[in-house]
DNA sequence: CGAACGCTTGACTTCTATCAACAGGTGTGG
DNA sequence: CCACACCTGTTGATAGAAGTCAAGCGTTCG
């Protein structure tokens, strides 16, 4: 969809499907920053800072994405103050989430981070899934590892651990949470 | 200055001095998210998302801080659209920086991260120091470690390494960068 | 059918956190 | 003024966590 380093000429709005936003790290590894689904924007940070894209966006599921040219997007913001307010709240929330992840990566160990990642992903899927059946996280092991910030093998081992502890059930490219509070406990998520 | 978990009733604007914003991680460790100096805001994310503070703010140097009550702050934003635009660009930049740190923590090793942290801190100090002499990073080893996301002992060892390699020179609670491009190389910062 | 890919498990290595001890400086109280 | 405690910075030794390398298995796809 877009590439790191290229100049943004607008923002993308996801109508349907699933897109992953990731960054390149040291050596060949990548870090998935977030998933974007129906109703989410992508590329707005780069437009708002007048900088280049710092990340890659790639479609995970078949998606429908519409493109809003930069000047149109900025015009919408000047004309509609409540839209601006909402967007600012949205970005602030993303900032808070991102800072939380910085703390997690710096102070928690992989096992706790995987539990936390699963919970966060479940929340994401269920927010895109309003009122339907229980949400299933459908990512490959490698994608999950890139999200949690670890190696795929390590992610596999811990998932298999969680499965044996009846915390989750897994299929190929799918994970469902069975025992939410068990994961919460591992993730140390008493708060927030 | 403010505490995690408390309800924000306004934002803080630093006129003078230096404030560190940090979060509590797993066990007793803390992670310094950012420093704030003259002209910087603190606590705006929490006000804009209508949530609680997720971090702590603590004065590092003697500071002058002014307090802007929430409703006043929001009123300023509705009345001055260019202020809103500037703030949104600012928050977007913070988001991009935070995402960069997520990637660093997930994919780089400590040595690279310390180099990167030193460069980022130098940029911060020099931006607060316009046109004056070469900027000096004045943080304790423990604070630097909490910023880079590592243990104080590890930070000490790597700093001592860098000193021997004539990349930096250190004093108590002060670090100056001697060979910037050497650090850049270690930090893998060919881009951005 | 063979090749390629994702997932899984095992063995090993390496990085980094932790524990412990010590030096130097600072402040405090006798 | 000295002695003591305390804190920061430093270095060494060790243990543990997680990354890497390697091999095997089941699927899918050409």
């Amino acid at each position: 969809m877009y590439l790191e380093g290229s100049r943004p000429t607008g923002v993308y709005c996801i109508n349907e499907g699933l897109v992953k936003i990731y960054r390149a790290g040291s050596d060949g590894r990548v870090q998935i920053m977030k998933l974007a689904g129906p109703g989410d924007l992508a590329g707005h940070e780069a437009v708002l800072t007048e900088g280049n894209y710092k990340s890659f966006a790639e479609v995970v599921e078949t998606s429908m994405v519409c493109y809003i040219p930069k000047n149109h997007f900025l015009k919408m913001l000047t004309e509609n103050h409540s839209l601006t307010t909402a967007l600012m709240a949205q970005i602030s929330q993303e900032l808070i989430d991102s800072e939380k992840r910085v703390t997690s990566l710096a102070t928690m160990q992989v096992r706790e981070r995987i539990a936390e990642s699963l919970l966060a992903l479940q929340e994401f899927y269920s927010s895109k899934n309003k009122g339907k059946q229980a949400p299933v996280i459908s990512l490959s092991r490698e994608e999950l590892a890139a999200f949690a910030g670890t190696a795929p093998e390590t992610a596999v081992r811990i998932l298999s651990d969680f499965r044996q502890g009846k915390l989750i059930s897994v299929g190929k490219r799918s994970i469902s949470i069975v025992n939410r509070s068990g994961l919460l406990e591992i993730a140390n998520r008493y708060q927030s």
Side-chain angles (χ1 to χ4, degrees), chain A:
Chain A
M1 204 161 89
Y2 61 79
L3 290 180
E4 183 201 16
S6 61
R7 263 221 157 300
T9 59
V11 302
Y12 298 86
C13 175
I14 290 91
N15 290 324
E16 209 185 300
L18 190 62
V19 172
K20 63 179 175 186
I21 317 285
Y22 60 92
R23 290 177 73 116
S26 215
D27 51 6
R29 296 174 60 186
V30 302
Q31 172 68 28
I32 297 182
M33 303 309 314
K34 57 196 163 200
L35 298 181
D40 291 330
L41 287 181
H44 47 296
E45 310 95 311
V47 166
L48 292 169
T49 54
E50 308 278 345
N52 287 351
Y53 291 126
K54 295 292 188 289
S55 47
F56 303 82
E58 187 184 312
V59 168
V60 180
E61 286 174 8
T62 346
S63 299
M64 259 198 51
V65 175
C66 72
Y67 173 78
I68 307 173
K70 180 174 172 175
N71 53 5
H72 186 192
F73 178 64
L74 295 176
K75 187 148 163 282
M76 279 165 67
L77 290 179
T78 52
E79 285 171 359
N80 186 337
H81 197 274
S82 72
L83 179 66
T84 307
T85 308
L87 180 60
M88 203 145 63
Q90 162 74 26
I91 299 176
S92 296
Q93 187 58 53
E94 288 182 45
L95 176 57
I96 289 172
D97 293 343
S98 175
E99 293 188 340
K100 183 179 165 73
R101 291 184 80 192
V102 169
T103 311
S104 302
L105 282 161
T107 69
M108 311 197 329
Q109 35 197 51
V110 176
R111 190 182 174 76
E112 310 174 60
R113 290 210 309 271
I114 299 245
E116 190 179 67
S117 298
L118 291 174
L119 291 165
L121 287 167
Q122 192 204 32
E123 273 162 35
F124 170 80
Y125 276 93
S126 90
S127 74
K128 298 302 169 194
N129 211 13
K130 303 201 186 297
K132 304 208 190 116
Q133 74 294 344
V136 173
I137 300 166
S138 64
L139 293 177
S140 71
R141 303 291 184 265
E142 190 176 354
E143 286 166 333
L144 177 68
F147 185 84
T150 184
E153 295 94 327
T154 307
V156 165
R157 281 179 237 273
I158 291 174
L159 285 182
S160 140
D161 237 49
F162 285 174
R163 179 170 40 76
Q164 279 168 33
K166 308 250 187 264
L167 295 168
I168 61 175
S169 76
V170 305
K172 50 174 295 120
R173 217 190 150 74
S174 79
I175 304 166
S176 359
I177 293 184
V178 173
N179 179 350
R180 184 178 171 78
S181 56
L183 284 179
L184 275 166
E185 200 168 326
I186 293 174
N188 270 317
R189 255 231 236 155
Y190 305 113
Q191 85 297 7
S192 173

